[in-house]
Amino acid sequence: MHKHHSALGLAKAPGNSARGIALDQRPVQPVTLIRPHAAARAARFFVEKFPGRSMYAVKANPSPELIQILWDSGITHYDVASIAEVRLVRRTLPDATLCFMHPVKAEEAIHEAYFTHGVKTFSLDSIEELDKIVRATHGASDLTLCVRLRVSSEHSKLSLASKFGVAPGESKELLFQARQTADALGICFHVGSQAMTPAAYAEAMERVRQAIVEAGVTVDVVDVGGGFPSTYPGMEPPPLEHYFETIHRAFESLPISYSAELWAEPGRALCAEYSSIIVRVEKRRGDELYINDGAYGALFDAAHIAWRFPVTLLREPDSNARDMAFSFYGPTCDDLDHMRGPFMLPADVRAGDYLEIGMLGAYGSAMRTAFNGFGSDETVIVDDEPMASLYLSEDREVASNVVKL
Ligand SMILES: Cc1ncc(COP(=O)(O)O)c(C=O)c1O
């Protein structure tokens, strides 16, 4: 395949579009497309419109190129969850502020993060973790400690309600103890990923209020976590401004000081539009398409939690057949490599056709493996628009209409 190398060190496509690459180059391996302009647009949106500080949750897509794009677009803070993520962001962005927001950390990881990489913000959900942080930082007096509350994930597509967070009614002692240790005390939560209504945040903020009142402590930071949605077939959320307004109103009415800060940790919303893939159909069996990427590649969520991604047929001339529902098989040898969809494509799709599968920038690219000898690192920068967007005006009008209905 022809490549031109860009400043990012990645291949720049001669065609500069998904269609151009598929039709001009007919790639044998799946190709990851990246759209720096889409990530930059999402970052600028959060920087300008979120009524507080937006820190990028690196786990959603740890690509150094993406992290650099977000920094260049005004994202200065990064939510990291492992020591490898700490090192990666520090290597890429020496001046970024890193916040270690995994509530259960190795003591060695805390030590290295604090002493080697200058990390001063940590989350926790137990007294044991507080003790660990105190030991690992040798009793540091410049820490921001964020106590993670357990909140409901009922409005979200992916639950984060079981594993972490102190339960309602049990946060008093931990908030009190953390207050003694911390220079700044925060409260954080996560409403679950792909929260489909702003009410998720309003309800969680009510929990924050109860926790502050019960503990009677001064809180310096309220961190509403991630969960900000992107748009996928059958999962079209209200405009992000509605989320921001709800959060702002709830924050303003909390019993906290005038100087308290509002933070968020968006992952998905900042990077979903950043990348997509081109795959080739290797075989058709009725309404099942055998494609060359799958459950062990960028389509983990499509296989394991039946997430639906937008798909389009890249063929010249365009098919004029009516759409029908397909499911996909990935390239490996086991039945698990199956994505039930439904994925809507023209009824005459056949072996040899190319498809673009969109909105894979979050938790898609990040989860790829080379299992069974499949998977490809071929990555190309394109400048066409993502298959859907929460940040483009036409799609934003559609989203507003959905809300009005
Ligand atoms: C602590 C924390 N913050 C932020 C995120 C990012 O969430 P999202 O991608 O839903 O915005 C996650 C995701 O698991 C998380 O665990």
Side-chain angles (χ1 to χ4, degrees):
M1 181 183 291
H2 267 316
K3 297 180 197 171
H4 302 293
H5 288 278
S6 74
L8 292 174
L10 293 164
K12 182 128 174 110
N16 267 358
S17 72
R19 182 165 284 272
I21 290 158
L23 301 181
D24 300 345
Q25 303 182 22
R26 310 203 70 79
V28 176
Q29 298 285 333
V31 177
T32 299
L33 306 179
I34 60 171
R35 296 183 168 85
H37 69 286
R41 184 165 55 208
R44 285 194 304 267
F45 186 93
F46 267 83
V47 169
E48 283 163 22
K49 301 201 177 195
F50 182 73
R53 169 170 296 144
S54 300
M55 51 183 174
Y56 172 56
V58 172
K59 64 179 76 65
N61 185 331
S63 133
E65 292 81 17
L66 171 62
I67 289 166
Q68 183 69 51
I69 292 163
L70 298 177
W71 172 265
D72 293 342
S73 308
I75 301 284
T76 54
H77 288 56
Y78 293 77
D79 155 16
V80 284
S82 61
I83 194 63
E85 287 184 357
V86 172
R87 294 175 191 148
L88 167 82
V89 181
R90 185 48 82 230
R91 222 175 20 247
T92 312
L93 304 175
D95 298 327
T97 302
L98 309 187
C99 301
F100 207 151
M101 302 307 280
H102 192 308
V104 184
K105 296 168 283 302
E107 207 163 313
E108 295 83 350
I110 301 168
H111 185 275
E112 181 183 330
Y114 181 80
F115 287 104
T116 309
H117 306 289
V119 179
K120 302 205 185 303
T121 301
F122 298 89
S123 78
L124 66 156
D125 65 0
S126 66
I127 301 281
E128 292 83 346
E129 187 75 9
L130 179 60
D131 292 342
K132 226 195 265 177
I133 293 170
V134 170
R135 276 196 308 272
T137 61
H138 303 169
S141 59
D142 57 356
L143 300 178
T144 296
L145 296 182
C146 294
V147 171
R148 169 100 169 239
L149 299 186
R150 183 179 304 179
V151 300
S152 162
S153 278
E154 66 178 311
H155 299 296
S156 301
K157 293 290 177 185
L158 252 176
S159 175
L160 289 170
S162 305
K163 193 168 180 179
F164 299 129
V166 330
E170 290 172 14
S171 53
K172 182 174 172 176
E173 181 61 18
L174 182 56
L175 280 168
F176 189 78
Q177 298 259 354
R179 178 73 276 176
Q180 310 303 307
T181 308
D183 178 36
L185 177 65
I187 296 190
C188 61
F189 58 79
H190 198 302
V191 298
S193 203
Q194 186 73 5
M196 294 304 293
T197 162
Y201 294 89
E203 290 166 21
M205 289 292 243
E206 204 34 52
R207 277 278 300 113
V208 173
R209 166 195 303 287
Q210 287 159 11
I212 294 174
V213 169
E214 273 167 31
V217 289
T218 306
V219 168
D220 308 297
V221 172
V222 176
D223 175 356
V224 300
F228 297 93
S230 186
T231 180
Y232 306 89
M235 290 184 273
E236 291 89 357
L240 285 172
E241 285 96 332
H242 294 202
Y243 292 73
F244 296 174
E245 284 155 20
T246 299
I247 290 168
H248 184 60
R249 258 198 316 276
F251 177 71
E252 290 289 306
S253 72
L254 287 176
I256 47 179
S257 81
Y258 188 69
S259 60
E261 293 182 18
L262 175 65
W263 297 359
E265 304 165 8
R268 179 186 302 282
L270 287 180
C271 61
E273 298 177 21
Y274 176 59
S275 108
S276 63
I277 54 171
I278 293 175
V279 297
R280 188 165 75 176
V281 178
E282 303 295 3
K283 170 183 167 166
R284 173 171 178 175
R285 184 175 75 178
D287 60 0
E288 297 165 321
L289 301 179
Y290 292 63
I291 60 175
N292 59 355
D293 198 31
Y296 303 94
L299 297 171
F300 181 98
D301 283 347
H304 294 282
I305 52 173
W307 205 269
R308 289 178 60 204
F309 294 95
V311 290
T312 192
L313 174 61
L314 303 170
R315 188 198 285 166
E316 201 66 53
D318 274 333
S319 165
N320 47 24
R322 268 185 304 116
D323 277 358
M324 62 173 268
F326 288 92
S327 64
F328 294 158
Y329 275 112
T332 68
C333 296
D334 55 292
D335 282 3
L336 264 182
D337 197 0
H338 177 248
M339 294 139 277
R340 75 161 187 259
F343 301 104
M344 302 305 294
L345 286 163
D348 64 353
V349 177
R350 54 184 180 255
D353 274 331
Y354 286 93
L355 310 177
E356 183 181 8
I357 306 178
M359 313 302 280
L360 288 168
Y363 308 110
S365 315
M367 314 266 274
R368 285 190 336 209
T369 75
F371 176 56
N372 216 175
F374 295 100
S376 145
D377 289 331
E378 187 70 48
T379 299
V380 180
I381 298 172
V382 290
D383 51 20
D384 57 355
E385 290 302 348
M387 291 173 67
S389 179
L390 280 187
Y391 307 102
L392 275 171
S393 50
E394 315 86 72
D395 290 356
R396 288 164 57 70
E397 274 160 33
V398 173
S400 313
N401 290 338
V402 173
V403 173
K404 280 182 213 130
L405 289 176

